[in-house]
Amino acid sequence: MELQWPLILFTTLLAWAAGLFGAQCLWALRGRGAKAQMPALIVSVALLAVGGIAVFFHLEHWERIFNGFGHMTSGITQELIAIVVLAVVMVAYFVYLRRSGDEARVPAWLAVAGLVLAVVLVVVMGHSYMMASLPAWDSLLQIGSLLGAACAFGPATMAVICAVRDEASDLDARANVIGQCANVVLVVAYLIAMQATAGSYTAVEFWYDPTQPTLDITPDGSTAPFSGASMGWAVCSIVAAVAGAASAFVGKAKGDWKIWGAVGAACVLVSALALRATFYMTGVSIYPFF
């Protein structure tokens, strides 16, 4: 399957937005990073908006996207609901931040709701790609890989904003180390799960498409998930994820999150993009007839 860059950007940026909003909710619950709350909210909203716009470039007739919103079982409808609900919570979060002035406090219930809904958005987004016809996609670890990216994106970005606002704390280091390590584990686990789907591809004795008589059931001529370019993307995702984890440990040792938080976020971005590229290159259907 060819790379769908609008969808790759959509999933990556929404994981980033959800991860950052979830991180700032965690910081709020721990009474940390008061001055960083409003900038973090602005960045997370911007990421959510850009990611939402990116998805429209996937469609040749973008206006037809509204036809799918009438079906509750549609993945795009579920994603829209999750985005709207999270956006409402973000608005409420903004109102409380404005009312509290320099203290930048929000109620604990709102911070918990924001954290939970950030996770729900990522899960709903990942679930919309699960389908039995694509064995490499039909895995809970696929959802886990998006959650891993969010867990790494959020603390890294929040640490940078806190450092810029002179509000660094011990939470920066702990959250980054845990988030980055979780991302490495989930990236590797999902890549292993992808490779394990090699035996899921079904041999088809007869395959003929009148419109494309020379088309093979697997466009790259291979039933192995990792071969050629997909192997390169897979290796890149692992290397970048490990580099992100290394940056978290260096940042913890040096206490300089302006640099190492930014490095960590950049590594996660490369890893997430490479993993989603691998995701699309291994998206070969075992059901040729529709």
Side-chain angles (χ1 to χ4, degrees):
M1 182 181 294
E2 66 182 15
L3 300 184
Q4 303 294 328
W5 282 107
L7 294 182
I8 291 174
L9 290 174
F10 168 71
T11 52
T12 301
L13 293 179
L14 255 66
W16 196 346
L20 178 54
F21 186 61
Q24 74 173 101
C25 289
L26 176 62
W27 261 247
L29 286 171
R30 297 300 300 274
R32 302 285 194 275
K35 294 180 182 178
Q37 286 290 323
M38 186 62 77
L41 182 61
I42 293 172
V43 173
S44 60
V45 170
L47 289 168
L48 190 67
V50 174
I53 292 171
V55 74
F56 285 92
F57 290 92
H58 171 65
L59 303 172
E60 184 174 351
H61 295 282
W62 63 267
E63 71 280 0
R64 295 180 183 175
I65 194 173
F66 300 102
N67 294 334
F69 291 152
H71 305 279
M72 291 302 297
T73 57
S74 169
I76 195 170
T77 301
Q78 295 169 2
E79 288 173 342
L80 176 65
I81 293 172
I83 291 173
V84 170
V85 172
L86 184 63
V88 170
V89 172
M90 285 179 166
V91 171
Y93 204 97
F94 172 80
V95 171
Y96 274 102
L97 287 179
R98 291 289 294 173
R99 285 181 177 178
S100 61
D102 294 337
E103 294 183 355
R105 292 182 179 178
V106 296
W109 66 265
L110 182 58
V112 171
L115 183 56
V116 171
L117 287 172
V119 174
V120 169
L121 172 60
V122 177
V123 171
V124 169
M125 178 175 64
H127 181 265
S128 67
Y129 289 89
M130 292 181 65
M131 51 194 78
S133 62
L134 300 172
W137 293 18
D138 197 30
S139 170
L140 291 176
L141 287 172
Q142 182 263 134
I143 299 176
S145 68
L146 291 171
L147 287 171
C151 288
F153 268 134
T157 310
M158 193 64 186
V160 172
I161 297 174
C162 286
V164 171
R165 302 288 290 180
D166 294 324
E167 282 201 319
S169 67
D170 58 334
L171 185 57
D172 299 343
R174 284 182 291 164
N176 267 281
V177 170
I178 294 173
Q180 293 284 2
C181 289
N183 185 47
V184 173
V185 171
L186 290 168
V187 166
V188 173
Y190 182 42
L191 288 172
I192 292 174
M194 280 189 193
Q195 183 62 31
T197 62
S200 299
Y201 293 94
T202 304
V204 178
E205 295 180 0
F206 178 76
W207 165 254
Y208 179 74
D209 183 346
T211 62
Q212 296 177 298
T214 61
L215 180 67
D216 190 5
I217 185 174
T218 54
D220 62 357
S222 170
T223 58
F226 297 150
S227 59
S230 61
M231 177 62 77
W233 284 112
V235 172
C236 179
S237 66
I238 294 175
V239 172
V242 171
S247 72
F249 283 102
V250 175
K252 179 180 179 181
K254 295 190 174 183
D256 185 3
W257 291 108
K258 287 183 182 179
I259 295 178
W260 295 107
V263 170
C267 289
V268 179
L269 177 61
V270 173
S271 176
L273 292 174
L275 185 62
R276 299 310 284 182
T278 309
F279 172 83
Y280 278 100
M281 295 193 74
T282 57
V284 180
S285 176
I286 63 172
Y287 300 154
F289 305 111
F290 300 98

